[in-house]
Every structure is written in structure tokens, then in C-alpha cells.
Amino acid sequence: MLIDTVKEQFSDEHYQKIRNVLNPREIDYVISHHSEPDHSESLSKVLDYASNAQLITTEKGRNFLSRMYRSNLPFYTIKDTDEISLGKSTLTFIEAPMLHWPETMMSFLSAENILFSCDLFGTQIADPRLYADLNPHIMDYAKRYFALIFRPLSKAVLNGLEKLSKLSIKTIAPSHGPLWRMNTSEIIDSYRRWCTTPDRRKVVILYASIWGGTKRMGEGIAESLTKSNIEVKIYDLTTLAWPQWGHLMTDFMEAGAIAFGSHTFLGQPFPNIHVALTLLKAINPKGKPVILYGTYGWVGGALKVIAEELKKMNMEVIEPPLEVQFIPSSEDMKKCHEIGEKLAKKIKDKMEVEK
Ligand code: FEO
């Protein structure tokens, strides 16, 4: 059997790797756990050379793959808990809706106790080290992947983990990223923890700042938080590159509070602030305290727009927005320090209550 495929651009390399192991015509089953292109884009090619194979997927998977590629693939649809015999072992299918798409499934190889977990417990790294325990940074990668892909789907993740709790899992083999072979409960427990709100004494300070005034305010807030022994992560959204948005989402997930800064741009926040708000909403930041700061030229307004969005997310704006014309004066910088101190106190008090 073959589980999932690769992006089209890697299909030749994939073919060679399969050829190194067996004649593709000996493959009886190609299993599509997930229709997203990183798993499925080479399916048609694979089924051309694995010409004796059936394509196993869920009913929804069949529907998706038919629309994405072609409807005359050799489908064999399965339901939750269905099994196929592989001789000495049995492969059991586990429907896993929304882990990551509605059609997603996983499978469990009983004799070896291997869970083929699809996207769940995966990472987005290419590393020659096959096993997670060989990479000292693996939990950081796993957490970043979780924040981007699964934190918005936490309810589905908790349902999935409940389903998996009945299995005796020795090895977890995601469809991308290394395999978890030792102490699999560590990554499973981490997923459970990341689904809720693992707030830490950490503040995300972000800003968009064309002329530097808002940046200066953010740095003033950072200084006062650092003095209060609060970890600070600063993001300049004016020039943030795409890969760093994943880091931002991970920090949003873990932050005890957020300091949102923007200058006013045509009566609105800077455009990237809207992207940050969308990502923030996806991690469900309910209850996190927040402060707002920024500069404007002849008329303000950005902070009011941001505050309205944050209130819709049930975040707690703890101070009136600090909006400054042009460049912050020393008096304004003093106020930045003050709101930073108030935010630090708020986090400490909150952590004390939640202990
Ligand atoms: Fe949901 Fe690995 O794609």
C-alpha cells in the first residue's frame, strides 16, 4: 500500500523512491488520507504506474478528488472503522473530519501500532532525520504548524484526540514531517494543551509604522514590560514576510496579552493590520487583555477600527487607545511606559487568579 502522494513538482522523485522499493504494479492500495494538493497532486500519475491499485478514500474524499482531478480514478470508498487486511496486519480507517479538511481520515496499522495521522502531528519541514526525537527543535516546528493549521480547528482536534485515546499507539507517522517513535504521549498531550489557551507571561507587541512614530511607541511599551519581567515578542507588520506570519500566530496563541499599534492610513489601520486581526481571530483570543497605540497625521481613526474588531473577539481593551499626532513627545512616551506597566500588572494578576 501507499499512503498519500506529493506535490506534482516532486512526482518524478517520488516515483524513483517507490521504484527503489518495489515494482509499482505490486501496489494493491493507494490510500488518500486527504485531498489537499500537498497530499494528492500526484495521485493521477501514481495511479497510472500503480495500475493495479485501488484508491481508498472517504466518500467526501472521492467527491473532492473527482472535482480536483478526474472522476474515473479507481475509487474504493470506506467509512469510519472499516478495515482492510494486509496479510499479517490490519489497517483500520479513522474518519477525522476537519483534521484538516472535512474529508480527512487517518489509519492505524494494528500489528505495528502505527498511527498514520495525516496532517495531525505533522510539521512543515524537510529534514533528512526520519524521527522527531533526532531534531532538538522539533517541538517548536510542531507548535508553529499547530498554530497555523489546527488552533483554528481546536474543537475538531479535541474530538480527534478523544477518538485516538482508545488506540495503543507506538509510532505516529504524519504525512509530512518526521515520525514520532518515542513517548508519543508528549506530542498528543501538547496538542491537547495547545487547543486551550496556554497563556504565558508574554506580550506580543505589533505595529505598522511608516514614519517610525508608532514603532517608537511600541518600543517604549516593550521597555516597560521587560522591566516588569514580561517576555516580549515584537513584530513590525510594515514589512513582515509571509513565513513570519506563522511565528506571529504561534505567539498570538501563547501570549498573555497583546499591544496593537498602527498609524492611521487613509482613515484606517495599515492594511497588514487587517491580516493580523484575521489571524488573531482564528486562534480565538477571547479574554486576552490588549492595549492600543499609534500615530496619525491630520486625522486619526485606525485605533477605533482595531478596537471594534477586538471587542468582537471578546478581548479586553484595558486602557483608552493612546493615539498621538505625528511623532510621540517625551510626555507621550511616558504614557507608553505607563500603559505598558498597566498591561504587565494585568497579566500578572490574571496569571495569579488562574493558578
Ligand atoms: Fe492539509 Fe498537509 O495538508
Side-chain angles (χ1 to χ4, degrees):
M1 70 166 178
L2 173 72
I3 296 180
D4 280 347
T5 67
V6 294
K7 289 179 185 170
E8 209 278 333
Q9 69 202 93
F10 301 112
S11 60
D12 290 342
E13 190 181 333
H14 188 232
Y15 173 71
Q16 281 310 325
K17 285 186 173 164
I18 291 169
R19 285 282 331 185
N20 290 343
V21 179
L22 83 178
N23 178 342
R25 290 172 62 82
E26 292 172 39
I27 299 173
D28 295 319
Y29 303 111
V30 173
I31 297 168
S32 173
H33 274 163
H34 182 21
S35 308
E36 196 164 9
D38 55 320
H39 302 239
S40 72
E41 211 171 33
S42 301
L43 260 181
S44 288
K45 269 193 190 170
V46 165
L47 288 161
D48 283 343
Y49 56 73
S51 52
N52 293 317
Q54 287 180 291
L55 173 58
I56 297 183
T57 184
T58 59
E59 190 58 47
K60 278 200 176 93
R62 177 186 181 131
N63 191 311
F64 283 13
L65 294 171
S66 299
R67 286 161 186 253
M68 292 168 80
Y69 305 110
R70 53 190 166 92
S71 58
N72 62 347
L73 294 169
F75 288 110
Y76 178 87
T77 55
I78 54 83
K79 290 193 179 63
D80 196 40
T81 72
D82 280 357
E83 296 177 343
I84 53 170
S85 170
L86 299 171
K88 287 183 188 153
S89 194
T90 300
L91 191 70
T92 306
F93 299 107
I94 303 159
E95 288 198 56
M98 299 318 296
L99 300 176
H100 164 218
W101 282 7
E103 89 305 355
T104 304
M105 67 165 173
M106 300 183 255
S107 50
F108 184 67
L109 194 61
S110 55
E112 290 82 356
N113 298 73
I114 300 174
L115 174 72
F116 295 99
S117 61
C118 192
D119 277 343
L120 205 71
F121 313 122
T123 47
Q124 284 172 321
I125 52 169
D127 190 324
R129 291 168 289 193
L130 188 60
Y131 296 103
D133 52 279
L134 301 179
N135 184 333
H137 306 293
I138 194 62
M139 289 310 274
D140 286 339
Y141 291 120
K143 187 162 61 182
R144 198 175 312 149
Y145 182 73
F146 176 90
L148 264 177
I149 303 295
F150 286 117
R151 173 68 190 224
L153 305 168
S154 291
K155 218 179 233 180
V157 173
L158 291 172
N159 288 340
L161 295 183
E162 178 60 29
K163 225 169 176 180
L164 297 181
S165 66
K166 299 174 183 80
L167 302 175
S168 169
I169 300 167
K170 277 198 188 138
T171 304
I172 297 174
S175 290
H176 39 72
L179 280 65
W180 305 86
R181 64 177 167 178
M182 301 214 284
N183 193 13
T184 50
S185 59
E186 187 188 352
I187 183 68
I188 294 172
D189 290 345
S190 297
Y191 259 56
R192 196 168 284 116
R193 199 173 63 250
W194 295 335
C195 279
T196 54
T197 304
D199 289 358
R200 291 173 25 188
R201 283 161 70 112
K202 169 160 115 176
V203 173
V204 171
I205 297 180
L206 54 82
Y207 50 76
S209 180
I210 290 182
W211 298 110
T214 306
K215 179 172 188 276
R216 200 182 294 175
M217 294 174 80
E219 287 167 353
I221 292 166
E223 261 174 39
S224 64
L225 285 162
T226 308
K227 272 189 202 151
S228 303
N229 292 320
I230 304 287
E231 183 188 350
V232 161
K233 286 290 183 83
I234 298 182
Y235 286 89
D236 182 350
L237 300 191
T238 333
T239 54
L240 200 69
W242 171 241
Q244 291 165 296
W245 288 100
H247 293 251
L248 174 62
M249 211 158 164
T250 311
D251 283 326
F252 271 159
M253 184 175 88
E254 287 190 331
I258 294 164
F260 241 102
S262 179
H263 63 269
T264 295
F265 176 82
L266 301 174
Q268 289 287 319
F270 188 74
N272 272 355
I273 293 286
H274 291 289
V275 181
L277 285 167
T278 302
L279 296 182
L280 181 62
K281 188 175 178 189
I283 63 108
N284 184 15
K286 186 177 170 185
K288 287 187 199 276
V290 58
I291 54 174
L292 296 163
Y293 63 97
T295 56
Y296 63 93
W298 63 96
V299 68
L303 302 189
K304 187 165 175 273
V305 174
I306 299 171
E308 279 163 11
E309 291 304 314
L310 298 176
K311 278 180 192 158
K312 282 185 213 160
M313 298 177 209
N314 293 311
M315 294 184 76
E316 188 190 356
V317 180
I318 64 162
E319 282 291 306
L322 182 56
E323 199 159 35
V324 167
Q325 190 170 23
F326 299 126
I327 295 291
S329 63
S330 54
E331 193 53 35
D332 295 326
M333 289 306 296
K334 206 170 142 216
K335 285 183 192 158
C336 288
H337 280 86
E338 282 167 11
I339 59 172
E341 279 162 19
K342 284 183 181 164
L343 194 60
K345 181 172 184 322
K346 184 79 185 176
I347 298 176
K348 287 179 181 170
D349 291 348
K350 193 165 172 265
M351 299 275 155
E352 208 50 47
V353 171
E354 287 169 2
K355 251 185 196 172

